[in-house]
Amino acid sequence: MPLKLNRRHFIAAGSAAAAMPFLGRGASAQGTWPSRNIRMVCSYPAGGQTDLLARAFGDYIARQVGQNVVNENKAGASGSIGAAEVARAAPDGHTILCSISATYVMNRVMMKNPGYDMDKDLTLVSVIPGAGLLLIASKASGVKTLDDFVTFARKKGQVNFGTYSAGSAPHMTINELNKQYGLKIEPIHYRGEAPMWTGLMDGTLDAAMGSYTAAQAVLQSNNGVVFGVHSKKVAAISDVKTLPEQGATSKFFTLSGFTGWAVPKATPQPIVERLSELCVAANNDPKVKEVLATFALEPAIGTKESNALYQRELSSWIESAQALGLEPA
C-alpha cells in the first residue's frame, strides 16, 4: 500500500531531519564531516616536537576520515600567530590548531592581547600531558647541578638563558629561579627550540631549557650538560634530578605543560567529540606510538580530561604570575 504524505506531514518530517544531530561517522542533514581537506595549523616551527606530533596525528586522522590533513607551520609570538588564525577560521572542523600550553595557557596569563581569547575563541579537543623539560648549561660553565648553576649565575652576574618563546615554561622558570635565589638571569627568546639550541651551541647562551629529543644535538655533540629537569624525570636520563628534588620550591615546578589540538569555538560539539575520539584512538597507531616514545610523552586524552588539565594549569600559572608580580604585556 503506497504511503501518502500530506503537506503537514511533509513539513514535520523535514523539520525532524533538520534537527538531527551531526553524525561524525556518516551522513546527516548537515552533511558528512569532513567534506574536504583538513588544515592542521602548527603554531611552532617545522622539525620540532609540536610539528612532529601534528604530522603523526594528522596522518592518522587522514587515514580514518578519508580526507587529506594538510599541515601548515605558522610560528611566532609564543604560538599566538597560528592560534589567532585558527580562531578566525570557519567553525566547521576543517581547521585545527596544534600547539602547546604556552599558546593555550601562558599567553592568556602573560599577554594583554594575543590576538585571540582562549576561552571565547577556541575549544580544546585533546591534549598530550607534557614530559620533563631539560635544563642544560654550556660545557664551558662547568655546571652539573642546580647548586652549581646558582653559584655560576651569582659569580657571572648576568646569565643568558634561552627560551623557545616569551611566556613559555622556560621563561617562567627563569623568573622563579631569579626570585628564589636572587639571580639576574636574562631570558633570550627564540622562535622555537631548534634555533634556541643552536644558540647554546654557538656560545650565545649560557643555558637553555627544552625537550629531551630536541636537545639531542647539544647532548650528542657534548656542547652542554643537563643539570636539572623541570618537573618530571626523563627515563633516558633518570639520574638527573628534578628542580624540586634539588631544592627549588616554586609550585610552578610541579607543572608539566601539554601539547594539544583546538578548533574554533563555534565548531559543532559532535565534530569536537569525533576529533577527540580520533586523537585518543591514534595512541595505538605505530607511527604515533613512535613519536610519543621519542619524546617520552603520555598518550593523548579526551576532551573532558583535557579541559580539566587546562584549568589546573591555568590556575597555577595565574597564581605563579601574581606571586611574582608579573603583569600581562
Side-chain angles (χ1 to χ4, degrees), residues 200-256:
L200 183 65
M201 289 190 289
D202 68 18
T204 301
L205 302 174
D206 299 302
M209 175 176 161
S211 65
Y212 172 76
T213 303
Q216 286 306 299
V218 177
L219 301 179
Q220 291 176 7
S221 63
N222 203 31
N223 279 308
V225 177
V226 184
F227 67 90
V229 183
H230 176 258
S231 61
K232 291 182 180 179
K233 285 200 171 188
V234 175
I237 49 171
S238 58
D239 57 320
V240 178
K241 294 181 179 180
T242 65
L243 292 180
E245 287 177 326
Q246 297 187 65
T249 58
S250 172
K251 181 180 177 181
F252 181 76
F253 299 138
T254 65
L255 301 181
S256 64

Side-chain angles (χ1 to χ4, degrees), residues 125-174:
V125 170
S126 175
V127 307
I128 299 170
L133 296 175
L134 278 55
L135 287 83
I136 300 180
S138 66
K139 189 79 172 191
S141 69
V143 168
K144 294 182 179 179
T145 66
L146 177 58
D147 284 344
D148 290 343
F149 179 72
V150 171
T151 300
F152 167 78
R154 286 174 175 162
K155 183 176 180 180
K156 185 173 183 181
Q158 181 174 308
V159 172
N160 292 332
F161 196 116
T163 86
Y164 44 75
S165 67
S168 63
H171 188 186
M172 189 64 78
T173 294
I174 290 166

Side-chain angles (χ1 to χ4, degrees), residues 285-299:
D285 179 72
K287 183 175 180 180
V288 169
K289 280 185 174 181
E290 181 181 353
V291 176
L292 291 174
T294 296
F295 295 108
L297 295 172
E298 299 174 21

Side-chain angles (χ1 to χ4, degrees), residues 258-278:
F258 57 83
T259 302
W261 292 268
V263 292
K265 193 69 174 181
T267 301
Q269 188 61 26
I271 297 179
V272 174
E273 291 173 359
R274 177 60 175 144
L275 280 169
S276 177
E277 291 173 1
L278 287 166

